[in-house]
Amino acid sequence: MIQFEDVAVRFAEVDALSQVTLTVPDGVLCALVGPSGSGKSTLMRLVNRLVEPSAGRIRVRGQDVAGLEPARLRRSIGYVMQSTGLFPHRSVAANIGTVPRLLGWDRARIAARVEELLALVQLDPSLGERLPGALSGGQAQRVGLARALAADPDILLMDEPFGAVDPLTRRDLRAELRRIHAETGKTIVLVTHDPEEALELATQVVVLRDGRVEADGPPAALVAPDAAPFARELLGGAQPGLRRLSLLSVAEARDPTPAPPGAPVLPADATLADALSRMAETGRNVLAVEGGSIRLDAVLARGR
Ligand SMILES: Nc1ncnc2c1ncn2[C@@H]1O[C@H](COP(=O)(O)OP(=O)(O)O)[C@@H](O)[C@H]1O
Ligand SMILES: [Mg+2]
């Protein structure tokens, strides 16, 4: 869906990106992570031509973006800015309807779509008439997400969308994003400096360091012992083994042999970190799970 071919970006004195070759397949939720200044926002902004490469090529849906008209390209891609970027003098409804209006939809169709989107991001329909200044931080982020989704783009770019909200709101917004991704199959690129957020949401994680791709792969692989040390430390923190177990389902270590009578029971959707925690709490090294049992040694083997 998105391909970067040996891309470099140079701003005056700064090499923001060098030798970036990367593929984001259709339908993935790709998290770009890395320290501040590592090039995450620049990499994302190449996709909708808010930044132009100094070298290399970017393809979107197989087409070189250099040959596409920027305004038209941007209307085809949802973009959630770092600081919501809502138009302050336009109502919430007008903000959400921005791209459909540019696409020439009629008023009734826009109104219906705005209503649908307010419901999707779980905002009260009465908020449509308000100005952005009268919203809480979390509400404003939801409006930003609704605006990006308005014309149903197949690609959604989000630059630290949950940065400015409290932890509870962030948790709700993450859950919503996961649901939207699962329900729509859109290709989503998410910039975040929060490793936990990246591991929890992404199906593909790209670690940037000084403008280069340091690692690229599924979350569990990037916290495995053989992952690039920088990526493992960034994503795994002080407990990379436990982080990895939290990304793996109990099904990965299940033994079809039934557990002994009286073994504690784990739900089928538990992770291997949940299994380890349950063993620690109960002092038991075998747990029951639908379809068999989970043994301590099998859990430990998957942590590596
Ligand atoms: N428009 C710009 N002009 C000059 N330098 C820029 C510009 N945008 C970004 N940079 C520089 O490029 C590097 C990467 O920036 P950025 O992509 O914003 O990093 P991140 O999003 O990972 O924090 C930084 O050194 C930043 O200062
Ligand atoms: Mg940034």
Side-chain angles (χ1 to χ4, degrees):
M1 188 57 103
I2 305 170
Q3 287 167 293
F4 300 89
E5 296 167 13
D6 204 14
V7 170
V9 173
R10 189 168 173 82
F11 295 116
E13 304 287 281
V14 185
D15 283 319
L17 293 173
S18 321
Q19 295 174 355
V20 173
T21 295
L22 178 70
T23 298
V24 180
D26 190 3
V28 310
L29 199 163
C30 173
L32 306 180
V33 293
S36 177
S38 58
K40 306 181 294 294
S41 296
T42 303
L43 185 59
M44 169 173 282
R45 292 156 68 93
L46 285 165
V47 177
N48 57 5
R49 291 194 66 184
L50 291 170
V51 170
E52 298 291 344
S54 316
R57 197 200 309 266
I58 298 101
R59 290 182 200 274
V60 171
R61 307 179 192 101
Q63 288 185 296
D64 185 343
V65 296
L68 302 176
E69 202 225 316
R72 180 184 291 230
L73 175 69
R74 280 174 212 147
R75 287 198 294 271
S76 76
I77 297 175
Y79 180 47
V80 183
M81 279 173 259
Q82 202 157 348
S83 51
T84 79
L86 297 177
F87 304 116
H89 304 299
R90 288 195 187 155
S91 70
V92 163
N95 266 282
I96 295 175
T98 302
V99 174
R101 209 163 45 243
L102 290 170
L103 292 172
W105 293 16
D106 67 50
R107 291 173 69 144
R109 185 174 171 207
I110 296 174
R113 181 65 179 150
V114 167
E115 196 175 319
E116 196 175 283
L117 284 159
L118 285 169
L120 180 75
V121 299
Q122 296 179 357
L123 287 175
D124 192 283
S126 69
L127 291 182
E129 298 317 308
R130 285 207 195 156
L131 289 174
L135 299 176
S136 72
Q139 287 170 333
Q141 299 280 6
R142 285 170 199 267
V143 174
L145 179 58
R147 183 175 63 174
L149 291 169
D152 199 21
D154 55 351
I155 299 175
L156 188 58
L157 308 177
M158 310 179 78
D159 197 344
E160 306 211 17
F162 314 137
V165 297
D166 62 87
L168 278 181
T169 307
R170 195 177 313 144
R171 198 194 57 195
D172 290 350
L173 285 167
R174 279 182 194 173
E176 229 129 279
L177 182 62
R178 198 173 322 107
R179 181 175 57 82
I180 289 168
H181 180 243
E183 282 174 8
T184 64
K186 291 182 193 301
T187 304
I188 302 178
V189 181
L190 170 77
V191 167
T192 175
H193 62 244
D194 180 347
E196 216 178 299
E197 183 164 287
L199 293 176
E200 183 190 320
L201 291 175
T203 54
Q204 175 183 17
V205 177
V206 175
V207 177
L208 289 174
R209 179 189 198 182
D210 297 334
R212 289 167 193 266
V213 175
E214 177 83 6
D216 166 24
L222 297 195
V223 290
D226 60 354
F230 180 82
R232 189 168 197 242
E233 198 178 314
L234 182 82
L235 296 168
Q239 299 175 325
L242 210 45
R243 277 266 165 95
R244 184 169 146 81
L245 291 180
S246 74
L247 296 168
L248 299 174
S249 147
V250 279
E252 308 240 7
R254 187 176 50 208
D255 179 334
T257 330
V265 181
L266 268 182
D269 64 352
T271 68
L272 291 181
D274 297 330
L276 191 61
S277 172
R278 200 65 193 281
M279 289 173 184
E281 285 162 35
T282 58
R284 306 284 290 264
N285 58 11
V286 185
L287 305 176
V289 65
E290 201 179 285
S293 56
I294 301 286
R295 291 167 191 282
L296 177 61
D297 51 0
V299 174
L300 298 180
R302 297 312 308 259
R304 302 202 36 84

